[in-house]
Amino acid sequence: MDQVLVEICLRVRDIDATLDFYTELFDFEVASRREFPEDKFDLIYLNSPGSSVQIELTYNYDADPYIIGNGFSHLGVTVNDLEEMHKICKASSYETGELRGLSGGTPSYFFVTDPDGYRIEVKRKK
């Protein structure tokens, strides 16, 4: 059976802040946007350059704050220049961790948190 991961869905509270995070910080592009005002929700699909997996942002108009489950950890993104991306994230308003390496090795990743509390692991592209 041929299976392909095509999307990951994140429920978001502030669609404008979330779009700014993914499009300005990470260069994701809006692939499509579908609004369903009669059902009180919008769907925004984001493409990441170089990947066929989309992020689906689901914005429910009247939703209570979401609780991110302890089984979900993070999304991962690779970048060509880890140190430069770290500087950009640190200079932003988003919570950004320090550069780290596995078992104290050479720094190869850091985490940044989006407006809804989802963590993004930014890793050095191999």
Side-chain angles (χ1 to χ4, degrees):
M1 182 178 298
D2 187 17
Q3 298 179 11
V4 177
L5 177 65
V6 295
E7 71 185 31
I8 296 167
C9 177
L10 301 176
R11 292 186 173 143
V12 302
R13 297 272 302 145
D14 184 334
I15 194 60
D16 293 325
T18 301
L19 281 172
D20 286 349
F21 179 86
Y22 287 99
T23 60
E24 294 178 12
L25 205 57
F26 288 103
D27 296 332
F28 280 66
E29 297 172 349
V30 175
S32 65
R33 183 174 189 148
R34 300 180 64 201
E35 297 177 354
F36 300 91
E38 65 282 356
D39 295 316
K40 299 184 179 182
F41 74 94
D42 296 345
L43 301 175
I44 298 95
Y45 294 88
L46 301 177
N47 287 337
S48 172
S51 175
S52 61
V53 178
Q54 290 185 318
I55 294 179
E56 173 191 323
L57 303 176
T58 299
Y59 172 62
N60 293 296
Y61 299 177
D62 299 325
D64 291 328
Y66 298 110
I67 298 170
I68 299 172
N70 63 5
F72 176 82
S73 178
H74 63 275
L75 300 176
V77 174
T78 59
V79 296
N80 289 329
D81 189 337
L82 183 68
E83 288 74 16
E84 181 62 23
M85 188 62 181
H86 187 250
K87 287 179 190 175
I88 291 168
C89 290
K90 289 288 269 188
S92 74
S93 61
Y94 306 109
E95 180 184 330
T96 303
E98 296 305 318
L99 286 167
R100 301 180 67 184
L102 295 176
S103 298
T106 303
S108 58
Y109 69 96
F110 68 92
F111 285 92
V112 60
T113 304
D114 85 358
D116 290 286
Y118 296 108
R119 294 178 351 131
I120 311 302
E121 180 181 14
V122 182
K123 301 177 356 177
R124 186 183 313 280
K125 189 172 186 176
K126 296 179 182 179

